[in-house]
């Protein structure tokens, strides 16, 4: 191997995303004398950060609770509480933050670019090289260190390694799951992998006529007679999937209930079935001489209004509203309260924001050091942790990165 292709470091971080960058900065802060490098497979670090929060970067949440996280890493909240508060961390990097009414924290600039720029300025100030175009393809543990080989024949020799290579979601941002497979080949246990924070697929036939409709409501996920979870917010219908933040937050259930998961949408959650029936009866009286197509016009957007009546009444929509029976009115009201869809799949990795599953929590100790390989730490989405929409995933990335960075540096200082 040519000498210029061999990079030496005390700590090497593979994966230059949110977790990797915060790990490198924290390692250097803990032990400034150490040489810390970041190796990133893409031509620049932090590309995914730029896409977060629709370009505004929802970087954390003021209401951090255990319930917001799923997966087999049991000490998520412990790690979050033992690392610097994200708002203070970014303030220290010169990024002012604000929170919206739901507690979602954004940079004051509402620009993901300002978050990434601040992180990269810090890397520069701390002399942490960003080695781009370096795709780690194998990790070899030697007697006195680790060698990481890249796809293009370069190598990094280091004493501690932090793997922060992300999961499978959003492959355009460098994450195609190969790093998780690399660890699996090393005998590391992984938990079932599935897209999360993603639209849920339902049959195209059931969605006919709803494409493009957006409506506020409450979505309940259930399996058989068991209610699994409920979320409220905007529901969006596409040609073959149901989307919107409330559905994104239910997508993690798919991996556990594949084939048995259904969604029920309540399109008027603030009203009872009886109240809705009364409203429809009143409207039916006023519009008696118009066609069924016009019945719910004024309550829902046209396509949704037509869809509901068509599905509930099952007869020509050019029949007059005056012909509606009491039974049919009840059917319409019932459909508004519980429009049910069987989930047939989860959307593709391209449309998913997060990976459910990953390297099992049982593979790391409380400091995110691997139990099988004491010189390797893990951080971020590579681990089996996924959070709800609302800043929880980036919070995990920053906090777990800080924990891995701090603990790996502390370990080296001992030797
Ligand atoms: C469109 C979109 C919007 C999102 N919005 C939000 C939001 O607003 N708030 C929120 O909390 N979360 C959001 N998320 C989720 C959040 O971005 C991720 O959970 C978080 O970025 C994970 O951080 P990470 O550092 O663990 O992994 P990543 O950010 O995925 O970074 C991993 C890095 O490792 C690199 N890499 C992979 N394999 C290798 C290898 N073999 N060698 C070297 N490098 C490698 C990748 O190129 C990548 O740069 C969003 C995700 C997407 C896709």
């Amino acid at each position: 191997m040519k000498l210029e292709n061999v990079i030496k470091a005390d700590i090497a971080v593979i994966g230059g995303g949110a977790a990797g960058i915060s790990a490198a900065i924290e390692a250097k802060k803990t032990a400034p004398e150490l040489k810390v490098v970041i190796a990133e497979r893409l031509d620049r670090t932090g590309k995914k950060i730029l896409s977060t929060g629709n370009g505004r970067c929802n970087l954390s949440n003021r209401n951090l609770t255990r319930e917001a996280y799923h997966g087999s890493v049991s000490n998520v909240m412990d790690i979050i509480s033992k690392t610097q508060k994200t708002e203070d961390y970014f303030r220290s990097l010169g990024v002012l933050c604000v929170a919206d009414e739901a507690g979602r924290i954004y940079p004051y600039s509402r620009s993901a670019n300002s978050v990434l720029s601040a992180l990269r300025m810090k890397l520069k100030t701390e002399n942490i090289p960003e080695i781009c175009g370096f795709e780690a393809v194998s990790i070899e543990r030697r007697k006195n260190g680790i060698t990481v080989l890249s796809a293009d024949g370069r190598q990094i020799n280091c004493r501690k390694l932090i793997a922060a290579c992300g999961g499978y979601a959003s492959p355009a941002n460098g994450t195609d799951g190969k790093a998780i497979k690399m660890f699996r080949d090393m005998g590391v246990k992984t938990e079932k992998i599935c897209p999360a924070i993603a639209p849920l697929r339902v049959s195209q036939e059931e969605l006919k006529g709803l494409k493009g409709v957006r409506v506020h409501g409450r979505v309940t996920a259930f399996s058989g007679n068991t209610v699994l979870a409920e979320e409220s917010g905007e529901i969006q219908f596409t040609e073959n999937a149901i989307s919107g933040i409330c559905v994104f937050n239910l997508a993690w259930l798919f991996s556990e209930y594949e084939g048995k998961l259904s969604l029920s949408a309540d399109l008027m959650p603030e009203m009872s079935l009886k109240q809705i029936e009364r409203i429809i009866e009143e409207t039916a009286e006023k519009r008696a001489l118009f066609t069924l197509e016009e019945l719910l016009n004024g309550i829902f957007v046209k396509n949704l209004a037509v869809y509901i009546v068509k599905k509930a009444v099952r007869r020509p929509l050019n029949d007059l509203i005056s012909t509606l029976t009491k039974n049919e009115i009840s059917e319409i009201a019932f459909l508004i309260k519980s429009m049910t869809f069987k989930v047939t799949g989860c959307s593709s990795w391209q449309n998913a924001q997060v990976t459910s599953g990953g390297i099992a929590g049982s593979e790391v100790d409380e400091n995110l050091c691997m139990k099988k390989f004491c010189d390797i730490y893990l951080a971020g989405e590579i681990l089996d942790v996924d959070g709800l929409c609302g800043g929880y995933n980036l919070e995990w990335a920053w906090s777990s990165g800080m924990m891995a960075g701090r603990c790996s540096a502390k370990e080296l200082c001992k030797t």
Side-chain angles (χ1 to χ4, degrees):
M1 165 116 14
K2 283 187 191 156
L3 218 53
E4 65 265 26
N5 286 340
V6 180
I7 301 143
K8 279 192 174 164
D10 295 304
I11 298 177
V13 179
I14 51 169
I21 297 175
S22 73
I25 292 171
E26 190 72 9
K28 195 75 182 171
K29 182 176 158 193
T30 308
E33 68 281 11
L34 297 179
K35 180 170 182 198
V36 181
V37 300
I38 298 181
E40 163 58 47
R41 71 185 285 211
L42 298 181
D43 57 4
R44 59 171 303 176
T45 54
K47 191 170 170 225
K48 191 181 282 177
I49 294 172
L50 297 177
S51 316
T52 58
N54 281 328
R56 295 183 306 151
C57 189
N58 175 197
L59 50 83
S60 181
N61 196 295
R62 289 214 173 135
N63 310 312
L64 295 169
T65 59
R66 182 67 184 101
E67 291 67 46
Y69 291 98
H70 318 113
S72 56
V73 176
S74 56
N75 62 332
V76 170
M77 293 311 291
D78 207 36
I79 288 173
I80 290 174
S81 68
K82 284 182 178 159
T83 47
Q84 193 176 7
K85 227 174 117 194
T86 296
E87 271 179 272
D88 297 343
Y89 177 67
F90 278 99
R91 186 76 190 90
S92 77
L93 297 180
V95 178
L96 207 59
C97 295
V98 283
D100 67 10
E101 67 296 337
R104 291 181 286 245
I105 301 171
Y106 292 90
Y108 194 81
S109 62
R110 301 329 190 262
S111 159
N113 195 34
S114 59
V115 171
L116 181 56
S117 297
L119 290 165
R120 295 192 66 214
M121 278 191 258
K122 185 68 177 169
L123 293 177
K124 208 162 185 175
T125 320
E126 297 297 338
N127 260 324
I128 300 171
E130 301 168 58
I131 304 160
C132 291
F134 187 107
E135 180 182 356
V137 288
S138 85
I139 296 169
E140 287 168 17
R141 298 178 67 242
R142 293 174 284 104
K143 202 165 160 221
N144 44 10
I146 296 177
T147 295
V148 184
L149 294 172
S150 75
D152 64 358
R154 286 180 284 169
Q155 81 177 48
I156 298 176
N157 295 333
C158 58
R159 295 200 284 155
K160 296 275 179 205
L161 178 73
I162 300 172
C165 306
Y168 286 68
S170 191
N173 285 310
T175 36
D176 57 6
K178 274 198 210 149
I180 292 181
K181 287 182 200 145
M182 175 170 73
F183 277 100
R184 205 183 287 143
D185 291 344
M186 291 163 70
V188 171
K189 185 179 172 217
T190 57
E191 298 295 351
K192 185 176 174 188
I193 284 159
C194 223
I197 307 204
L200 286 169
R201 289 218 182 109
V202 304
S203 104
Q204 218 160 318
E205 196 50 37
E206 283 192 67
L207 289 177
K208 224 174 182 173
L210 283 181
K211 186 179 167 189
V213 167
R214 290 162 180 251
V215 59
H216 274 268
R218 183 166 58 219
V219 182
T220 305
F222 65 98
S223 177
N225 291 326
T226 313
V227 169
L228 304 169
E230 263 182 12
E231 288 282 335
S232 297
E234 191 182 67
I235 308 163
Q236 297 171 16
F237 296 93
T238 70
E239 200 173 6
N240 59 3
I242 310 185
S243 181
I245 290 177
C246 59
V247 176
F248 286 177
N249 279 342
L250 297 170
W252 65 277
L253 288 163
F254 180 75
S255 94
E256 212 175 318
Y257 295 93
E258 189 169 351
K260 295 174 280 184
L261 186 65
S262 295
L263 299 180
S264 173
D266 180 347
L267 306 182
M268 294 179 97
E270 60 289 303
M271 290 193 199
S272 69
L273 192 67
K274 279 270 159 281
Q275 284 173 312
I276 298 172
E277 278 176 358
R278 217 165 303 132
I279 289 173
I280 300 173
E281 277 163 9
E282 281 167 20
T283 318
E285 263 179 51
K286 286 182 200 138
R287 297 184 181 170
L289 297 180
F290 291 87
T291 62
L292 289 175
E293 215 176 30
E294 305 295 345
L295 179 69
L296 298 180
N297 187 347
I299 301 178
F300 298 114
V301 292
K302 177 110 198 257
N303 285 358
L304 180 58
V306 169
Y307 177 92
I308 293 169
V309 178
K310 198 169 168 186
K311 195 158 178 183
V313 173
R314 289 185 217 95
R315 61 186 167 100
L317 289 187
N318 51 9
D319 286 356
L320 290 183
I321 290 177
S322 58
T323 63
L324 263 184
T325 65
K326 221 173 161 35
N327 235 352
E328 284 174 329
I329 289 177
S330 299
E331 290 281 340
I332 294 169
F334 183 77
L335 196 61
I336 291 171
K337 284 304 275 178
S338 53
M339 193 183 274
T340 302
F341 301 92
K342 188 170 165 26
V343 175
T344 56
C346 198
S347 120
S348 65
W349 288 116
Q350 279 81 0
N351 295 322
Q353 292 192 6
V354 178
T355 311
S356 154
I359 298 179
S362 57
E363 292 287 345
V364 288
D365 69 10
E366 70 280 11
N367 298 327
L368 302 178
C369 179
M370 295 194 82
K371 291 179 186 164
K372 286 194 180 89
F373 315 119
C374 61
D375 37 18
I376 305 180
Y377 289 71
L378 303 177
E381 207 177 303
I382 195 168
L383 277 159
D384 176 25
V385 177
D386 62 282
L388 296 178
C389 226
Y392 298 99
N393 289 293
L394 278 175
E395 173 59 50
W396 168 246
W398 313 125
S399 295
S400 58
M402 280 187 228
M403 181 58 88
R406 183 201 300 164
C407 294
S408 56
K410 269 191 181 165
E411 272 302 307
L412 278 186
C413 293
K414 282 188 200 160
T415 54

